[in-house]
Amino acid sequence: MRFIVDQQVEDIELPENLKLNTFLQEFHSDCLHPECGFGYYGFAFGQSPFPVPKAVQTALIKNADKGAYAPVAGIPELRETISKYNKYYFQMDVDPQRIYVGPGTKELIFNLLEVLHGTVILPTPAWLGYLPQIRLLKKNFHMLPARSNGKISPNELRKLALRLHDKQKILILNNPHNPTGVVYNKLELEEIADVCREQGICIISDEIYAQTTYDFSKFVSMGKIYPEGTFVTNGLSKSHAAGGYRLGYVIFPQHALEVRKQFKKILATEYTAVSTPIQHAAVAGFEVSRELDEYFEITRNIHHLVGDYTYHALCSIDGIKATKPEATFYLLADFNFYSDELQKLKINTSQKLSESLILHPYHTAIVGGDSLVLERTDYRARIAFVDYNGAKVYENYQNQKPKTHSERIEFVKNNAPKVVAGIKMIETFFGNLQNETKIIEKTKESMQVAI
Ligand SMILES: Cc1ncc(COP(=O)(O)O)c(C=O)c1O
């Protein structure tokens, strides 16, 4: 029997992690060089490397007997705890009734896009997760390219909104931002919120990286600035290094009772409720405690250390620019300086660039620009700086916090040697690229002389 798959499913891209897995397997396993047994320099995967906090693990084990279905929106104690967590960390007063729990924020964002009418405004570059969802739901959408600082301009947002004729528009704002690592400040959020109020735009504010903001006092939730129009999503995946738990939540805007009712129908139709033991584990994850506070502080400090190192090391390579991360474990590197050389060697898309970097002798995995909703020929790429043993590095940091500039660099060199070596490999790649193009040019010249 030949099965026929729906066209809209055929048309969407494989999600980033699956695409990368296949890609790395294909390109890496073929390497015959014995010295490449170490694997590859992993700048591609967006996963926090730290252990899941002990309290969360213990709560999961303790609640393994909870076999009953949970209420659709989540168990009351979890919604209550998330409300207190938001008060403590983000200074938001949120009635637990406004909080719904789902199997990861990815699913919740999809559900919001299912429920909300209107054209989607997608700032680019963007996390790869959004676009296939928009396509699958056949929603109208418009890209909104960010400025060179990685952030969208309120004026550009207004101009775009004026061209759209839906009564309601949906802006997907990812703050802190994957892939650039940049964070919007309060004033920038206020300016965006003003445009949204004026133009009938509601916001899905994906704040999954909020807790990783290096200077945590600088993070402001859009839920605080524009409470009547923002759907805030967050969860356990990045802050608690627990992507595999599949636990996210959405905070609905104030006075959005009708949308909440419709949303509940969608959740009940699609997945009934999140796994009950996971919800109990999440209670421990969102309960404010000294231990968890320390965990957040240490993990964000380590992201900061490695992020600073990666940024400076990349920017010290001739021609390479990068965004300076203020949160997350990513930055966006810009290799466009080398576009002539890359084109000459027929590396004519960012996808081809990531493929060339994974081959021997480089073995370096990055995410090319076309996976970040950029033009295929834009040689920018996401660098995730988490290729180290999180448990060990966490312990080392606890034992000896680096203070001075040189101690911080030493710490990264000792604790994240693959990050350090991987950046060196990127430098070698571009150095070789220049040499190879020079050779090609010389050969061409001598052939012309010969003719
Ligand atoms: C920007 C962004 N939003 C959402 C997600 C998905 O989070 P979750 O694991 O809660 O579905 C990711 C995961 O990489 C992400 O980078």
Side-chain angles (χ1 to χ4, degrees), residues 46 104-106 127 130 174 178 206 208-209 237-238 243 246 330:
T105 58
K106 191 183 211 176
W127 173 53
Y130 308 123
N174 176 209
N178 171 6
D206 177 352
I208 192 84
Y209 293 99
S237 296
K238 311 296 171 180
R246 308 309 304 129
Y330 313 110

Side-chain angles (χ1 to χ4, degrees), residues 141-381:
F141 69 94
H142 281 268
M143 316 274 198
L144 178 59
R147 291 170 292 180
S148 56
N149 65 359
K151 299 175 185 175
I152 57 166
S153 136
N155 274 338
E156 293 299 315
L157 176 64
R158 180 181 289 106
K159 271 196 232 158
L160 173 57
L162 285 168
R163 287 184 8 230
L164 307 175
H165 299 294
D166 305 77
K167 271 204 199 122
Q168 177 175 275
K169 281 96 36 197
I170 309 157
L171 169 67
I172 300 183
L173 188 75
N174 176 209
N175 180 43
H177 186 237
N178 171 6
T180 58
V182 300
V183 182
Y184 286 83
N185 65 35
K186 188 161 176 272
L187 185 67
E188 290 162 339
L189 293 177
E190 281 168 353
E191 285 173 354
I192 294 172
D194 286 345
V195 176
C196 291
R197 282 193 189 97
E198 173 196 304
Q199 297 295 327
I201 306 172
C202 65
I203 302 179
I204 296 177
S205 188
D206 177 352
E207 300 179 3
I208 192 84
Y209 293 99
Q211 237 354 315
T212 67
T213 310
Y214 306 155
D215 178 354
F216 189 63
S217 66
K218 292 218 172 118
F219 176 77
V220 182
S221 172
M222 193 49 133
K224 217 171 131 185
I225 308 284
Y226 183 35
E228 73 277 28
T230 304
F231 298 80
V232 177
T233 57
N234 203 338
L236 286 182
S237 296
K238 311 296 171 180
S239 46
H240 299 68
Y245 274 53
R246 308 309 304 129
L247 192 291
Y249 66 83
V250 51
I251 303 175
F252 281 80
Q254 291 167 336
H255 321 299
L257 197 61
E258 185 50 34
V259 188
R260 264 158 44 197
K261 255 169 59 192
Q262 301 298 331
F263 197 80
K264 199 173 201 166
K265 272 196 322 207
I266 291 285
L267 300 205
T269 306
E270 293 187 14
Y271 47 80
T272 308
V274 173
S275 143
T276 313
I278 289 293
Q279 293 202 44
H280 284 279
V283 172
F286 291 118
E287 221 145 50
V288 176
S289 70
R290 212 156 47 84
E291 290 74 35
L292 223 62
D293 213 35
E294 193 193 12
Y295 176 91
F296 293 143
E297 193 179 321
I298 291 179
T299 53
R300 73 168 77 97
N301 285 350
I302 297 172
H303 290 318
H304 189 182
L305 277 172
V306 190
D308 269 0
Y309 180 92
T310 307
Y311 168 76
H312 288 293
L314 278 171
C315 290
S316 71
I317 303 171
D318 205 20
I320 296 181
K321 289 188 286 190
T323 54
K324 190 167 196 299
E326 300 165 304
T328 77
F329 28 86
Y330 313 110
L331 56 74
L332 189 70
D334 185 340
F335 305 119
N336 282 302
F337 176 81
Y338 292 98
S339 52
D340 283 350
E341 284 91 343
L342 288 162
Q343 298 280 349
K344 275 177 197 149
L345 292 174
K346 305 223 166 11
I347 305 172
N348 38 26
T349 63
S350 62
Q351 178 68 24
K352 286 242 171 77
L353 170 59
S354 23
E355 288 173 11
S356 309
L357 259 165
I358 200 69
L359 294 177
H360 187 78
Y362 308 111
H363 296 273
T364 303
I366 59 169
V367 177
D370 59 345
S371 294
L372 309 167
V373 202
L374 290 170
E375 292 293 323
R376 289 162 58 79
T377 50
D378 186 336
Y379 296 109
R380 283 183 287 171

Side-chain angles (χ1 to χ4, degrees), residues 49-51 389-399 411 414-415:
F50 300 111
N389 179 336
K392 218 159 133 206
V393 178
Y394 187 99
E395 208 181 301
N396 291 347
Y397 185 90
Q398 254 182 332
N399 292 339
F411 184 88
N414 293 332
N415 286 280

Side-chain angles (χ1 to χ4, degrees), residues 11-42:
D11 288 349
I12 65 164
E13 297 248 348
L14 198 65
E16 176 186 32
N17 49 353
L18 295 179
K19 199 157 129 182
L20 280 170
N21 249 335
T22 321
F23 169 70
L24 289 175
Q25 270 162 15
E26 272 174 19
F27 284 88
H28 184 75
S29 55
D30 292 346
C31 189
L32 301 173
H33 296 79
E35 74 272 24
C36 297
F38 73 93
Y40 49 84
Y41 303 110

